[in-house]
Amino acid sequence: MEIVKQKVLALNGDEAVAYAVKQSDVDVVSAYPITPQTIIVERFSEYVANGEVDTEFICVESEHSALSACLTASAMGARVFTATASAGLALMHEILYVTSGCRAPVVMAVVNRALSAPINIHCDHSDSMVERDCSWIQLYAENSQEVYDSIIQAFRIAENPEISLPVMVGLDGFSLSHTLENVQVLPDDVVRKFVGTRQFPFIKGHEGKMVPFKLDPENPLSMGPLDLYDYYFEHKRQQEEAMQKAPKVIQQVHEEYAQMSGRHYGNGLIERYNLEDAEIAAVCLGSTAGTVKTVVDELRAEGVKAGLLRIRTFRPLPVEEIIKALENVKAVAVMDRSLSFGGYGGAVFHEIRHILYDAHIHPYVVNYIYGLGGRDTPRNLIHKIYQDLQEILQTRRVEKPVKFIGLRE
Amino acid sequence: MASEYEFTAKDIVEKPEILMSGHRACAGCGPATALRLVLKAVRGPTILTHATGCMEVVSTIYPYTAWKIPWIHTAFENVAANASGIEAALKVLRRKGRIKDEHVDVIAFAGDGGTFDIGIQDLSGAVERGHDFMYVLYDNEAYMNTGIQRSGGTPHGAATTTSPAGSVIPGKPEYKKPISDIMVAHGMPYVATASPYYWKDLITKARKGIEVDGPAFLHVIAPCPRGWRYDTSKTIEISRLVVENCIFPLWEAIDGEYQLSEPSEAIALKPETKKPVQEYLRMQGRFRHLFTPKFEKVIDEIQWITDKRWQRLLKKCGIN
C-alpha cells in the first residue's frame, strides 16, 4: 500500500483527539468538561454547531452520565466516543466496569491528570493507572501525532467483534493536551474507509437464532441481567480471553495504519529505542519518552549503551514483547508517574519486575516515581537515572530499589 | 393533551405481554403489576432500560429473562442517562440509515431509591436536555430490594430497617420528597401520577407519556407487601385507599398545567368523600407503632401533611 498524501496541521493534543473523532464517523459523543480535557469537547461542539459532523452530541451533567449514555448508545449499535481526565475518570469508575462487562466498544481519550487532594490540574498517571484492572484496553501516546493516530486505531480495535472491549487512549495533560505540534492528518475519506462501519459479534438471541449483539426491536436481547455465582465467573473469563486476543488485533490495526500513514509506534504494543545492544535501559510510557529518547541519544554519543522501552499498550500488557525487549539489558529503571501508596513502587514497576521473575533473565530493576502533579522532568533528571543504573552495574549493588526523583527530599 | 388511544379491558387482556410470566417477583408485588400495566400502553417498537432495583432483579437472571422486547440494565443511578444514550443513538442511526426507518419509543424504569435519591441528578439532566423518553417511577417507598431501607420516597412515620420504629424515634422523621412536583418544575411537557387500582387511568397516562414529544415522567405508587407489611391480597385495595385518602392523589401536569384526574377530582368536588388516613395506615405493619398512645400524634402529622399537600394541589389545579 502506498503512503497517503497528508496535510500538516498545527494542533495541540486535545485538538488532535477532536480532529480524529471528527473524521471517524462517530455516531454519539457524550461528554462533560474537565481540565485539561475541555478543548476536546469545545472543538467537537464547534464541529457539531457548524454541521461538520453527523453526530449526536450529548452534553451531559456529569462524567458518570457521560459514560452511562455512551454505554447504551454503544449497545444500540452506535460508534461512540467520550473524553475525560482525573476526577472525571474517577467518577466514571463504576461505569468503566459496566461498560467493559457489557462488552461495549466505547473509545475514550483520557487526558492524564493528577487526582485530588490536594487539587491539581497537571499531569500524572494516577487517574488511569488506578483503572488498569477494569478491562479497558489502555494505550498511552508519546506526542500529539500519536494521539491522533491512536484515536483512529482505537475504534478499529474496540469494535473488532473478537474483542468488543472499550479502549482508553492516554495523553499527558498540558504537556500534550495544550501544546501545539505539527500533526499530519489523513484525508477524511481515508480515515472513514479505515474505520469502516461498526461490526458486531453474533450471539444466540431470545428466539434461538444468531443475532448481532445490539439492542434491536427486531431481534430482542436483554443486556445487563442479574448474573450470580452460576455464570458471572465465566463471563469475566470471557472478558479476559478477549483481552488476551487484543495484542494481535492492536498490532494488525497498527500495521495496516502504518502502511497508509507511514507512521510506526514500535509494533503498536511497545517501542524499542536503542535497545538492541543496550546494557542499561529506562521503561516509561507517555510523553516522557520524548525526553528520555533525547537523553539516550546524548548518552549514545558518549558511548554509553543506553536504551528505552516505551510501553504503548499497557492493557493488555504485552508480556512476551517486554521480556524479549529487556532480555539483554543488565539494569532497568522503571519510571512511574503515579504512586501505589503503601505498595512497593509504582504500577509499571510492579508489572515489569513481576514479568521478569519468570523470564529466566534477572537484570537489576529499580523504580523511579517522578512528575506527580505535573512536576517537570527535565533531561538532567533522566541523566541522573541512567547514572544510577551505571553505578549499579559497577558496584553490583542496589541500595534503594524504589526512589522518588525531582522533588524536595 | 388527549390521547387517541381508546381501549377496553378486553383489548388490554388480548394485548401481548411484554413482561412475561415466570419472573420472580413476590406474590402481591405492586411494581410488577404497575410495570405490566404500563407496558400495555406500548404503541410500537420500544427499547426499555432499567435502573438496578427489585424489578430488574426479579425480571432477569442469566440465562433467563422476562422481557419480550430489547432491555438493558447498567447501574443504579444512571437510567435516565442510559435512556439519553439510547434516544441519541436511535436518532443518529436512523438519520444515517443504519437502522430501520421507523420511530422507536424509549422507556426507563426505576424505583424510588433510583429516582428520589441516587438517580435524581441524571434524571434532572436528561429532562433538562429534553430527550424523548418516558421515565416510569415505580414507587414502593423504600429500598425493598436490599431489605426495606428508607429512601427520599418513604413517607413520614413509616418504619424501615434504617428508620426503625424505636422507643424514641417513631419511624422516618422526614416527609416524602415531592418528586413529581420537582419534575414539573423542570418545565417538562408531561408529568402524571397513577395507581394500579385505577388501571385505565394508569394505561392512558402511560400512553400519553409515550406519545408526548420530549421527556415524560410517570409516578406510579406501587405497594409492596413485604416492605409495607400487609397481606399479599391487599395490594390493589391499598392502591385504591392511598388515592381515596389523598396521600397519593392522581393528577397530570401537561406543560406545567396541573389537572386532577377523575378519581381525585371526584374527591375534590365532594370533599366529604375524602377518607381519613387511619384506615390506610392501620392496614400496614410499617405504621403499626403509630397506633400506640406514645406515638399517635404522628398520625395527626401524617394527616396534616396529607391535607396541606392536597390543598396545595387543589390550588395548582385551580380548585379552591
Side-chain angles (χ1 to χ4, degrees):
Chain A
M1 192 191 277
E2 255 182 62
I3 292 172
V4 177
K5 197 168 178 326
Q6 297 166 65
K7 60 179 175 182
V8 176
L9 298 178
L11 301 175
N12 62 39
D14 276 3
E15 288 170 333
V17 171
Y19 200 85
V21 175
K22 174 192 170 189
Q23 293 183 307
S24 298
D25 190 22
V26 173
D27 300 311
V28 176
V29 171
S30 173
Y32 186 78
I34 180 168
T35 303
Q37 157 267 30
T38 39
I39 301 168
I40 300 174
V41 286
E42 288 166 2
R43 287 296 165 276
F44 200 79
S45 301
E46 287 166 16
Y47 297 145
V48 174
N50 295 328
E52 294 178 64
V53 287
D54 190 2
T55 304
E56 283 295 313
F57 178 53
I58 319 176
C59 203
V60 285
E61 81 298 331
S62 76
E63 288 89 354
H64 194 282
S65 287
L67 190 54
S68 297
C70 282
L71 164 50
T72 45
S74 182
M76 288 295 299
R79 174 169 294 145
V80 171
F81 173 81
T82 188
T84 192
S86 183
L89 188 61
L91 186 58
M92 285 180 179
H93 174 75
E94 178 196 21
I95 309 301
L96 292 176
Y97 275 81
V98 185
T99 304
S100 54
C102 287
R103 306 297 295 272
V106 175
V107 171
M108 167 156 64
V110 175
V111 188
N112 288 111
R113 166 186 155 180
L115 288 170
S116 293
I119 189 166
N120 178 302
I121 58 169
H122 292 283
C123 178
D124 68 37
H125 297 152
S126 310
D127 51 0
S128 57
M129 277 298 154
V130 78
E131 305 299 353
R132 65 190 181 274
D133 293 339
C134 68
S135 184
W136 281 58
I137 291 165
Q138 287 195 341
L139 308 177
Y140 289 85
E142 180 184 330
N143 49 46
S144 298
Q145 181 67 64
E146 189 182 351
V147 168
Y148 168 81
D149 296 332
S150 300
I151 292 283
I152 294 168
Q153 292 171 26
F155 289 107
R156 281 278 302 274
I157 299 163
E159 294 173 9
N160 183 306
E162 291 282 298
I163 309 297
S164 264
L165 286 173
V167 177
M168 56 176 87
V169 176
L171 61 147
D172 286 350
F174 291 100
S175 45
L176 293 189
S177 68
H178 285 60
T179 309
L180 273 186
E181 212 181 278
N182 281 335
V183 175
Q184 290 193 57
V185 297
L186 293 159
D188 292 351
D189 58 326
V190 171
V191 176
R192 186 172 279 239
K193 195 171 162 223
F194 181 81
V195 294
T197 51
R198 170 109 184 252
Q199 304 296 305
F200 299 94
F202 277 70
I203 64 156
K204 203 186 224 181
H206 283 189
E207 279 129 28
K209 60 176 180 176
M210 298 303 280
V211 298
F213 183 59
K214 62 173 179 167
L215 295 171
D216 172 6
E218 297 201 337
N219 297 301
L221 289 177
S222 295
M223 289 193 194
L226 182 69
D227 191 13
L228 302 178
Y229 37 65
D230 35 9
Y231 286 99
Y232 179 91
F233 202 178
E234 282 78 9
H235 288 138
K236 293 294 117 179
R237 170 66 178 268
Q238 285 178 346
Q239 261 175 261
E240 178 57 15
E241 283 168 2
M243 262 291 175
Q244 296 309 329
K245 287 179 191 163
K248 200 174 148 201
V249 174
I250 294 168
Q251 281 177 280
Q252 281 168 352
V253 171
H254 171 264
E255 187 51 38
E256 193 185 324
Y257 188 90
Q259 285 189 12
M260 68 175 192
S261 68
R263 288 186 293 277
H264 279 92
Y265 301 103
N267 63 358
L269 303 173
I270 59 164
E271 183 188 354
R272 305 165 189 227
Y273 191 77
N274 281 331
L275 267 185
E276 290 64 32
D277 62 341
E279 291 184 338
I280 53 174
V283 177
C284 74
L285 37 79
S287 66
T288 307
T291 318
V292 179
K293 284 175 184 173
T294 306
V295 171
V296 168
D297 291 346
E298 288 167 355
L299 290 170
R300 286 276 168 177
E302 293 167 16
V304 179
K305 288 187 172 175
L308 163 71
L309 167 63
R310 178 169 77 89
I311 299 178
R312 178 181 187 244
T313 304
F314 187 64
R315 282 290 182 270
L317 195 70
V319 176
E320 295 304 322
E321 279 77 8
I322 291 173
I323 292 171
K324 266 186 237 148
L326 295 178
E327 62 191 353
N328 296 319
V329 179
K330 295 185 176 118
V332 177
V334 180
M335 297 176 66
D336 267 292
R337 208 166 184 178
S338 69
L339 185 52
S340 172
F341 293 98
Y344 189 51
V348 187
F349 177 63
H350 295 162
E351 301 282 11
I352 300 295
R353 280 247 296 211
H354 170 55
I355 287 175
L356 296 180
Y357 188 87
D358 277 344
H360 307 296
I361 52 163
H362 294 101
Y364 295 102
V365 186
V366 292
N367 189 206
Y368 290 87
I369 308 293
Y370 77 100
L372 298 194
R375 177 64 54 87
D376 194 21
T377 309
R379 280 163 42 240
N380 65 337
L381 280 187
I382 313 283
H383 272 290
K384 175 75 177 68
I385 290 172
Y386 281 103
Q387 276 165 21
D388 284 1
L389 290 180
Q390 285 177 294
E391 207 178 297
I392 287 169
L393 284 190
Q394 278 158 18
T395 60
R396 308 209 155 270
R397 271 186 67 218
V398 175
E399 276 187 21
K400 220 176 155 190
V402 179
K403 284 184 180 171
F404 286 68
I405 193 160
L407 79 170
R408 296 175 196 88
E409 290 277 12
Chain B
M1 188 180 84
S3 170
E4 287 174 12
Y5 185 43
E6 295 288 333
F7 57 89
T8 62
K10 187 164 173 279
D11 298 331
I12 293 306
V13 171
E14 286 172 356
K15 200 162 173 179
E17 298 290 346
I18 289 173
L19 177 61
M20 307 296 285
S21 62
H23 62 68
R24 294 165 299 120
C26 309
C29 175
T33 307
L35 264 54
R36 191 174 164 209
L37 291 173
V38 166
L39 292 164
K40 291 290 182 183
V42 161
R43 62 175 169 174
T46 305
I47 310 267
L48 306 175
T49 182
H50 215 127
T52 307
C54 283
M55 292 311 296
E56 167 262 324
V57 167
V58 304
S59 63
T60 64
I61 183 163
Y62 187 88
Y64 303 105
T65 180
W67 300 99
K68 191 73 180 163
I69 62 175
W71 177 96
I72 185 167
H73 154 259
T74 74
F76 197 0
E77 68 279 53
N78 63 350
V79 75
N82 286 161
S84 308
I86 293 168
E87 186 245 20
L90 283 168
K91 274 204 285 201
V92 64
L93 294 175
R94 188 178 175 191
R95 197 163 67 219
K96 291 184 178 180
R98 299 210 173 123
I99 55 172
K100 208 168 160 187
D101 186 18
E102 63 182 356
H103 180 82
V104 178
D105 291 311
V106 182
I107 303 176
F109 291 119
D112 48 294
T115 306
F116 289 76
D117 295 349
I118 199 167
I120 195 168
Q121 174 189 302
D122 83 315
L123 169 59
S124 180
V127 169
E128 183 262 340
R129 292 188 300 272
H131 296 280
D132 185 11
F133 75 114
M134 177 168 73
Y135 189 105
V136 178
L137 155 62
Y138 64 93
D139 182 6
N140 56 16
E141 301 197 319
Y143 293 86
M144 300 312 186
N145 190 36
T146 44
I148 324 167
Q149 292 84 21
R150 62 86 86 189
S151 78
T154 304
H156 183 59
T160 71
T161 54
T162 52
S163 63
S167 56
V168 179
I169 303 173
K172 188 184 170 190
E174 301 82 11
Y175 294 102
K176 186 182 178 97
K177 190 191 279 187
I179 189 74
S180 295
D181 292 325
I182 293 169
M183 296 322 297
V184 175
H186 278 72
M188 61 192 296
Y190 189 72
V191 178
T193 66
S195 158
Y197 174 79
Y198 302 96
W199 59 271
K200 198 159 185 181
D201 177 74
L202 190 158
I203 295 170
T204 306
K205 285 169 171 170
R207 181 64 171 225
K208 286 185 187 178
I210 291 168
E211 287 176 356
V212 75
D213 280 333
F217 184 81
L218 181 62
H219 182 178
V220 185
I221 190 77
C224 169
R226 295 288 303 125
W228 296 15
R229 302 287 180 206
Y230 64 83
D231 186 88
T232 54
S233 65
K234 303 286 184 196
T235 296
I236 299 303
E237 194 178 331
I238 286 184
S239 304
R240 188 187 76 213
L241 270 177
V242 74
V243 174
E244 288 178 340
N245 61 23
C246 299
I247 285 180
F248 194 85
L250 302 183
W251 52 268
E252 291 174 297
I254 299 166
D255 286 326
E257 295 296 320
Y258 281 78
Q259 191 182 348
L260 284 180
S261 307
E262 217 176 284
S264 292
E265 194 183 20
I267 298 167
L269 295 174
K270 279 191 180 172
E272 66 278 13
T273 61
K274 176 168 168 283
K275 292 192 172 168
V277 298
Q278 270 87 348
E279 183 190 354
Y280 172 77
L281 301 180
R282 200 185 290 277
M283 285 176 76
Q284 303 172 49
R286 63 177 173 158
F287 296 114
R288 185 184 297 121
H289 56 288
L290 304 183
F291 292 89
T292 56
K294 192 175 176 188
F295 293 133
E296 62 191 3
K297 70 169 181 18
V298 178
I299 297 175
D300 298 336
E301 289 166 7
I302 293 170
Q303 188 65 63
W304 170 81
I305 190 73
T306 302
D307 294 347
K308 187 173 147 179
R309 288 186 173 178
W310 172 243
Q311 288 307 321
R312 199 181 286 159
L313 177 65
L314 292 180
K315 218 168 153 182
K316 285 180 197 158
C317 296
I319 301 168
N320 289 307

